């Protein structure tokens, strides 16, 4: 009897396989990071064409084989099409995808991190929010979710605004995370904290981080 499962998640990346297939890495709510074959997805007009591009969020029906998953159907709720015309936003979004790939593992439920990723990608497409702020919020809250957040740093002096923002980021409900703004000075301080913890807890370089240097004045 064939085994099928439906998972809800977002495509982190894909690589070509054979002449017409994609191999997609999907961050799912209940199975963590999985790799799945999308047969024929590179054929124009194919049933899965366009459904396994990075940023695609939705529900994927999978056939569970002995050693791999195969995507049978995909119901995409959000393609995040705004990134196609927003190079800077796409670079920041790609960084968030890679950071999630760094944190997640197969068969490791991580619903809160997936929700944070989805909300952060939406925030990047909100022109009233600065991409640098979205990045800081994501990085700091991800540390909280992964159980690595060490608290307010003792070796950096922060203004009252930056201290309040830091407290807000680590404790407020996810749906309210992107409801504040900061002055350039306070954002510089907050990004300093994020940069400090990034160097402490991320033990390998992320390729997408290099793309941000030309966009992020607070890098």
């Amino acid at each position: 009897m064939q085994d099928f499962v439906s998972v809800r998640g977002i495509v982190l990346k894909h690589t070509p396989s054979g002449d017409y297939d994609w191999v997609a890495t999907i961050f799912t709510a209940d199975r963590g990071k999985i790799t799945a074959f999308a047969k024929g997805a590179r054929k124009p007009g194919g049933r899965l064409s366009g459904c396994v591009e990075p940023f695609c969020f939705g529900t994927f029906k999978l056939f569970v084989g002995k050693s791999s998953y195969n995507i049978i159907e995909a119901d995409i709720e959000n393609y995040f099409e705004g990134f196609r015309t927003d190079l800077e936003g796409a670079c920041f979004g790609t960084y968030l995808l890679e950071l999630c790939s760094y944190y997640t593992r197969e068969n490791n439920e991580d619903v809160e991190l997936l929700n944070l990723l989805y909300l952060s990608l939406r925030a990047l497409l909100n022109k009233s929010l600065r991409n640098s702020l979205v990045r800081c919020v994501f990085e700091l809250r991800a540390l909280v979710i992964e159980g690595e957040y060490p608290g307010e740093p003792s070796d950096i002096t922060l203004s009252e605004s930056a201290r309040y923002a830091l407290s807000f980021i680590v404790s407020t409900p996810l749906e309210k995370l992107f409801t504040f703004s900061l002055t350039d000075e306070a954002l510089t301080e907050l990004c300093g904290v994020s940069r400090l913890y990034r160097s402490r807890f991320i033990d390998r370089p992320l390729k997408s981080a290099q793309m941000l240097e030309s966009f992020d004045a607070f890098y």
Side-chain angles (χ1 to χ4, degrees):
M1 188 175 185
Q2 292 184 330
D3 292 324
F4 295 93
V5 297
S6 290
V7 296
R8 188 174 173 81
I10 188 166
V11 177
L12 300 179
K13 64 179 181 178
H14 63 5
T15 55
S17 175
D19 293 329
Y20 301 110
D21 307 337
W22 286 114
V23 178
T25 301
I26 308 173
F27 177 19
T28 71
D30 53 358
R31 294 185 177 231
K33 181 172 63 176
I34 65 172
T35 300
F37 288 89
K39 296 186 180 299
R42 292 167 62 198
K43 287 183 178 180
R47 179 167 45 88
L48 296 175
S49 179
C51 294
V52 290
E53 299 292 324
F55 301 115
C56 283
F57 175 84
T59 301
F60 301 85
K61 183 179 180 180
L62 310 174
F63 167 65
V64 184
K66 290 184 178 180
S67 58
S68 65
Y69 294 98
N70 288 277
I71 302 173
I72 306 301
E73 298 175 2
D75 180 15
I76 304 303
E77 301 171 30
N78 195 336
Y79 290 89
F80 286 98
E81 293 177 303
F83 289 134
R84 296 179 184 178
T85 56
D86 181 0
L87 177 60
E88 179 177 331
C91 288
F92 275 86
T94 300
Y95 172 77
L96 300 191
L97 296 185
E98 188 177 3
L99 193 53
C100 277
S101 183
Y102 173 86
Y103 279 127
T104 56
R105 300 291 182 270
E106 188 169 353
N107 296 319
N108 182 28
E109 183 178 309
D110 217 338
V111 177
E112 192 172 4
L113 184 62
L114 178 62
N115 289 339
L116 173 64
L117 174 60
Y118 183 80
L119 292 172
S120 299
L121 293 176
R122 289 184 58 185
L124 287 174
L125 293 175
N126 184 342
K127 298 305 181 184
S128 67
L129 293 171
R130 302 178 73 162
N131 291 336
S132 301
L133 177 59
V134 175
R135 174 186 179 166
C136 284
V137 170
F138 180 89
E139 289 181 324
L140 293 168
R141 188 56 176 258
L143 286 176
V144 176
I145 293 172
E146 296 303 311
E148 295 182 333
Y149 180 68
E152 185 179 322
S154 58
D155 49 349
I156 295 180
T157 301
L158 299 176
S159 65
E160 190 63 31
S161 294
R163 292 181 67 246
Y164 177 82
L166 189 58
S167 175
F168 183 87
I169 290 167
V170 302
S171 62
T172 200
L174 288 182
E175 62 272 16
K176 295 182 179 180
L177 266 181
F178 299 103
T179 58
F180 71 99
S181 60
L182 289 174
T183 63
D184 283 355
E185 292 77 10
L187 181 55
T188 298
E189 294 177 53
L190 189 66
C191 288
V193 176
S194 184
R195 184 167 54 249
L196 172 68
Y197 290 161
R198 189 188 315 141
S199 64
R200 183 182 302 178
F201 295 105
I202 306 297
D203 60 5
R204 61 176 172 81
L206 302 180
K207 293 180 180 180
S208 57
Q210 299 174 2
M211 297 186 297
L212 300 187
E213 295 184 28
S214 60
F215 294 114
D216 195 350
F218 301 90
Y219 186 84

